[in-house]
Amino acid sequence: MMLQDGSTQLLCLTATSGVPLFTRGASRQLPFSIIGSLNGVHMFGGGQEVVLSSCETEGGGKVVWRVFHDSVMLIAVSGSGHGGAGSGKEKEAHLQRLLENVWNCMVLVLGEEELVNIRNVERLKRDLRSCFNLIDQLLEEKQEGILGNLTHCADSLLPPNPSLVQAAVDGFTQAADSEFGCLLVHGRMVSATEKWWRLAPQEIVLLAALMRTLSASGSSSCDYPVFLPHGSPTVAHRLLRFQLLPGADVCVLCGPTPSLQRAQSGLVVRFWAPLAETLRECLTVGGRCLPASVSLHPDVLAFLLINRETRRSISCVLCSHTTTKPSAAPVLSNGRCWELLKLFYNFSITRYFSQEETLCASQDESAQRNTTEEFVRGFTHQPLQCYLVTEECKSYGLQTAQHQLFLLVPPSVPTFALRTVATQTLTDIVTATGF
Amino acid sequence: MAAFPSLAAPGSVVVSDWHRCKESKEFFSKILQKMRRKNFGLLESPVMPPHAAVDTVDYKVFLTGKSGVGKTSLAARLAGLSVPKVHYETTGIEVSVIYWPVKLRDSGRVLFFRLQLWDCGDNASRRFDHLLPSCKEQVDAVLFLFSFTDRTSFDDLSNQITKWTEPSVCHIVKVVVGTKYDLFMHCDVTERDVQDFQETWRLPLLRVGGEVSEGLGDVAPVLNCLAEQLWHQDCIAAGSTCRQTREKTVTLI
Ligand SMILES: Nc1nc2c(ncn2[C@@H]2O[C@H](COP(=O)(O)OP(=O)(O)OP(=O)(O)O)[C@@H](O)[C@H]2O)c(=O)[nH]1
Ligand SMILES: [Mg+2]
């Protein structure tokens, strides 16, 4: 029921005149007449003082609109996929989030000024091409194990030696005339300065996505101008990134100094060479996100654990699991496990749990979120746990004041045992790592 | 052109095709991993056994050319990575570090060249003023890129090169690279054009294109040419200022 795929197409137009700025996603582009109608119907609503924010087609497709700063309209059109009962709400939430992320990408690269006060449409069209790399990645969502675009929590990796790494990040950042620095291993946040954690959650996730792209390009270092969609939408900062070891990147957000060259030749080796072994240890943690010393309940197929206060998350899929029981249900691939984990997260968040209010949720978004809140308010209590049984796996969600845990186990585990597995997993991880 | 330093004739300073010689294996094996090029983090470098240790010389190389000409692709190709299929604009500066062992012809001495390739997105460099100065700061060589499929990129070369002829920058090594040589069906620049250009400017001109192949044969001509000109230029500089030697050896761990 909650399972869906189907490709998503993204349209971007000027809000006032409906001039198409770009389209991305889906190999088969929508005809111009349909794009025109999608814009027209939204404008028509506007004329009647109605904000059209989403609609569903008979076949289970979905269209979501959103206008940013009365200047740029983004429309997401998603294919029918599996459709079926109840899939609409999750899909809508997902597309709303996508549009917000896409807008943030555009601001990150171009700055708000150019997007909000459009002077020359042709020029804007040309400039927008520089955002395609990040936008395409948002649409493809092909990076397994990265859930930040969905959760707006920083995908993290817990190192065996947190204090050593923290000290190095702090020292290096300070030496680079900055207060904002972080270390990424396998594209996940290992450590960051206090100020970095005070950036808006969307910014943290977006910067991490940018750093992953840069890291994947194989280059050794970068100097990228970035606007911060919430903290500094009109003044660009410099994102300096250094590949310390393949898979381990340190980043700082700077002003005019130091130059990339000076930072690279003067600071990188000085601060990080003594930590090479520690970094290698972080790299060996790998996709598990947890040091090997933390043991997990043998029935856990996959989990996502969110710290609601720090807005960090760890997640992993333990693939080896299914192969041990030949009689059990068909083996789930790693990719499918990640997909199920995302779907279950979306399912729980849109129905039972609440997603942390992000700092700057727009009116549209909070309006959309109200549907969940209304539902939740219908209860005299706050749901703390929820579960879902499907043919492929059993899923369990659990929320405390501090954490949210989403867990997948094989269908062979009796349903009454889910809660025990979940609470034990939460305790195991939190006790061992203090996450 | 008088504004340029003398050129080293190809193969006069470094042994060309050295990667094909048996004796070079122990050096080239340090930049390979499972038959592919090894990716070095900034904390890493090729490490030779103590008895065979060689010096590493570090150079900064700036890649310039209009958007879409293939700067990012060339950097990836030279680093042994796969070339991006679609054109995504580079929205800042990306530096790739490449290690390349070279044997000097005269002395028989072996050196590891550490080439930092500075790739700056063309459109980004127009949007943000601070990017180009950063690329040009203490640069040792410039690679001027044009695409065989884009006439304007070729026609613009002279303008670009002229900017690097002033006395303060004329000593900087200059090499021209023509990209997309594989797309001969769409070729927009003739051999005759290239010849005329070379007669005017007398700069080394290399052609690249096609899928990145397994071996080193693809990248060797470009990297050897760069290394040769850089070393040659260093020798001239050392001669004129007497005792100036290159102290750019890198910290190893
Ligand atoms: N066939 C072929 N295609 C190439 C070659 N070099 C680059 N390309 C293609 O040309 C396009 C643009 O290449 P990039 O390297 O991204 O261009 P760039 O110079 O870095 O452009 P900016 O970052 O915008 O300044 C990409 O789609 C590449 O696949 C080549 O030698 N042969
Ligand atoms: Mg580029």
Side-chain angles (χ1 to χ4, degrees):
Chain A
M1 60 175 289
M2 58 168 190
L3 317 177
Q4 50 188 307
D5 50 18
S7 54
T8 303
Q9 190 161 140
L10 179 77
L11 315 172
C12 177
L13 308 98
T14 61
T16 43
S17 47
V19 180
L21 293 169
F22 66 81
T23 65
R24 296 310 284 173
S27 45
R28 185 169 48 87
Q29 260 201 20
L30 288 173
F32 186 74
S33 58
I34 296 201
I35 300 182
S37 315
L38 288 174
N39 178 51
V41 67
H42 187 272
M43 282 212 332
F44 177 77
Q48 317 295 312
E49 300 194 4
V50 172
V51 177
L52 175 59
S53 67
S54 81
C55 82
E56 201 161 339
T57 69
E58 276 176 353
K62 194 102 196 163
V63 184
V64 170
W65 288 260
R66 183 141 163 212
V67 174
F68 295 86
H69 293 263
D70 293 327
S71 169
V72 169
M73 169 148 61
L74 289 176
I75 307 174
V77 183
S78 160
S80 52
H82 293 264
S87 74
K89 209 150 82 174
E90 285 94 29
K91 200 185 257 184
E92 182 180 332
H94 184 235
L95 294 179
Q96 289 284 3
R97 183 118 297 192
L98 174 72
L99 293 189
E100 187 192 355
N101 290 337
V102 168
W103 169 256
N104 284 334
C105 273
M106 290 160 64
V107 176
L108 180 91
V109 176
L110 294 179
E112 205 172 78
E113 172 70 22
E114 184 172 357
L115 297 166
V116 171
N117 304 311
I118 303 176
R119 276 186 220 98
N120 180 339
V121 175
E122 286 312 309
R123 178 163 169 199
L124 178 61
K125 267 192 204 172
R126 218 172 35 240
D127 286 347
L128 279 167
R129 289 201 295 236
S130 54
C131 312
F132 289 173
N133 196 355
L134 282 174
I135 291 176
D136 285 358
Q137 291 201 25
L138 284 176
L139 287 171
E140 285 166 14
E141 285 186 59
K142 63 171 179 231
Q143 191 154 15
E144 275 180 10
I146 298 298
L147 306 173
N149 294 330
L150 196 63
T151 61
H152 278 182
C153 293
D155 291 289
S156 304
L157 181 150
L158 306 182
N161 244 323
S163 53
L164 270 180
V165 179
Q166 183 70 46
V169 170
D170 289 342
F172 178 74
T173 307
Q174 197 182 15
D177 302 340
S178 170
E179 292 177 306
F180 300 88
C182 70
L183 178 74
L184 253 75
V185 167
H186 296 308
R188 298 173 192 234
M189 202 74 91
V190 168
S191 177
T193 59
E194 202 195 320
K195 275 277 173 68
W196 189 282
W197 291 121
R198 284 201 233 148
L199 294 169
Q202 294 95 318
E203 291 172 340
I204 293 179
V205 170
L206 193 59
L207 288 170
L210 174 62
M211 294 181 281
R212 275 192 299 273
T213 313
L214 294 172
S215 176
S217 78
S219 59
S220 312
S221 62
C222 305
D223 185 342
Y224 261 57
V226 291
F227 297 89
L228 301 175
H230 303 288
S232 179
T234 54
V235 177
H237 290 252
R238 294 164 62 228
L239 181 74
L240 303 189
R241 168 199 145 262
F242 304 94
Q243 185 199 55
L244 301 172
L245 299 174
D249 293 270
V250 65
C251 303
V252 283
L253 268 179
C254 304
T257 58
S259 74
L260 181 63
Q261 186 152 337
R262 194 178 77 73
Q264 181 175 319
S265 58
L267 303 177
V268 171
V269 171
R270 173 148 72 91
F271 278 87
W272 292 99
L275 270 94
E277 267 326 297
T278 310
L279 290 171
R280 290 204 174 91
E281 281 163 24
C282 293
L283 282 163
T284 56
V285 171
R288 194 171 181 258
C289 283
L290 289 166
S293 58
V294 186
S295 60
L296 292 172
H297 193 287
D299 280 331
V300 176
L301 263 184
F303 75 85
L304 160 66
L305 175 62
I306 289 175
N307 184 322
R308 305 172 71 181
E309 208 171 278
T310 60
R311 301 194 59 87
R312 300 181 65 180
S313 76
I314 48 174
S315 56
C316 89
V317 164
L318 301 148
C319 55
S320 59
H321 187 86
T322 36
T323 51
T324 55
K325 290 179 194 162
S327 61
V331 176
L332 288 175
S333 71
N334 252 7
R336 184 62 185 156
C337 265
W338 282 115
E339 203 177 346
L340 290 169
L341 194 58
K342 280 190 208 176
L343 290 166
F344 179 61
Y345 170 80
N346 240 347
F347 172 86
S348 317
I349 284 302
T350 42
R351 284 154 196 272
Y352 304 113
F353 299 166
S354 58
Q355 194 160 22
E356 302 319 311
E357 209 42 70
T358 42
L359 273 174
C360 9
S362 71
Q363 285 172 339
D364 291 17
E365 205 188 5
S366 31
Q368 167 254 323
R369 196 162 279 163
N370 277 343
T371 50
T372 317
E373 276 156 22
E374 262 164 42
F375 176 73
V376 171
R377 259 187 264 121
F379 294 115
T380 52
H381 54 273
Q382 162 80 36
L384 295 178
Q385 310 189 352
C386 64
Y387 74 95
L388 184 72
V389 176
T390 67
E391 281 165 14
E392 285 172 291
C393 69
K394 294 183 177 176
S395 318
Y396 201 87
L398 182 157
Q399 117 173 314
T400 67
Q402 185 78 21
H403 296 102
Q404 285 176 334
L405 175 71
F406 305 87
L407 192 76
L408 304 187
V409 300
S412 55
V413 177
T415 306
F416 64 79
L418 293 180
R419 179 196 196 140
T420 319
V421 179
T423 42
Q424 195 193 323
T425 304
L426 180 63
T427 319
D428 284 349
I429 299 175
V430 174
T431 334
T433 64
F435 180 77
Chain B
M1 277 260 142
F4 287 149
S6 74
L7 273 188
S12 66
V13 177
V14 310
V15 179
S16 29
D17 283 341
W18 190 50
H19 65 280
R20 288 194 226 276
C21 300
K22 220 171 168 192
E23 55 144 14
S24 71
K25 284 276 178 300
E26 61 168 320
F27 300 96
F28 280 98
S29 68
K30 301 296 176 214
I31 64 162
L32 297 171
Q33 194 171 41
K34 294 183 193 132
M35 303 291 284
R36 311 203 54 190
R37 291 280 290 283
K38 185 169 151 49
N39 182 9
F40 292 93
L42 289 170
L43 301 183
E44 301 170 306
S45 56
V47 184
M48 295 296 294
H51 67 272
V54 294
D55 287 333
T56 300
V57 285
D58 185 40
Y59 294 95
K60 176 171 172 180
V61 181
F62 173 42
L63 276 56
T64 175
K66 74 181 249 203
S67 178
V69 80
K71 299 180 291 297
T72 305
S73 306
L74 179 65
R77 180 188 293 277
L78 295 179
L81 301 165
S82 58
V83 172
K85 287 253 172 344
V86 271
H87 173 212
Y88 284 125
E89 280 181 20
T90 307
T91 58
I93 301 173
E94 290 192 41
V95 183
S96 308
V97 174
I98 289 168
Y99 287 92
W100 186 251
V102 159
K103 182 169 183 166
L104 300 178
R105 185 170 283 284
D106 282 349
S107 58
R109 183 175 168 206
V110 175
L111 291 168
F112 266 107
F113 276 70
R114 181 182 190 267
L115 302 170
Q116 304 175 33
L117 305 182
W118 286 57
D119 164 28
C120 180
D122 190 38
N123 292 329
S125 72
R126 285 168 222 277
R127 295 169 46 78
F128 299 97
D129 294 337
H130 63 276
L131 297 178
L132 282 185
S134 169
C135 291
K136 293 177 178 174
E137 179 191 359
Q138 294 176 8
V139 71
D140 299 299
V142 186
L143 287 185
F144 297 94
L145 274 73
F146 74 92
S147 157
F148 274 99
T149 61
D150 176 359
R151 181 79 209 180
T152 56
S153 69
F154 179 75
D155 291 338
D156 196 38
L157 279 177
S158 300
N159 273 332
Q160 296 297 326
I161 298 169
T162 309
K163 289 184 197 158
W164 292 84
T165 50
E166 281 157 33
S168 61
V169 286
C170 73
H171 62 279
I172 290 167
V173 167
K174 298 167 190 76
V175 173
V176 180
V177 179
T179 63
K180 311 195 192 182
Y181 196 55
D182 53 317
L183 302 175
F184 47 86
M185 296 289 281
H186 306 275
C187 189
D188 215 6
V189 180
T190 65
E191 279 307 310
R192 186 61 217 241
D193 295 329
V194 172
Q195 261 176 31
D196 289 348
F197 172 85
Q198 282 188 288
E199 266 162 38
T200 315
W201 291 102
R202 307 206 169 277
L203 292 177
L205 188 149
L206 300 151
R207 297 165 176 83
V208 296
E211 292 286 308
V212 177
S213 64
E214 281 270 301
L216 298 168
D218 258 3
V219 298
V222 182
L223 294 175
N224 280 333
C225 170
L226 252 180
E228 182 152 54
Q229 302 303 335
L230 283 164
W231 188 255
H232 180 64
Q233 179 56 33
D234 263 5
C235 292
I236 295 173
S240 62
T241 61
C242 278
R243 295 175 40 84
Q244 183 192 338
T245 50
R246 177 163 278 272
E247 272 310 325
K248 276 192 166 185
T249 341
V250 210
T251 323
L252 309 180
I253 59 161

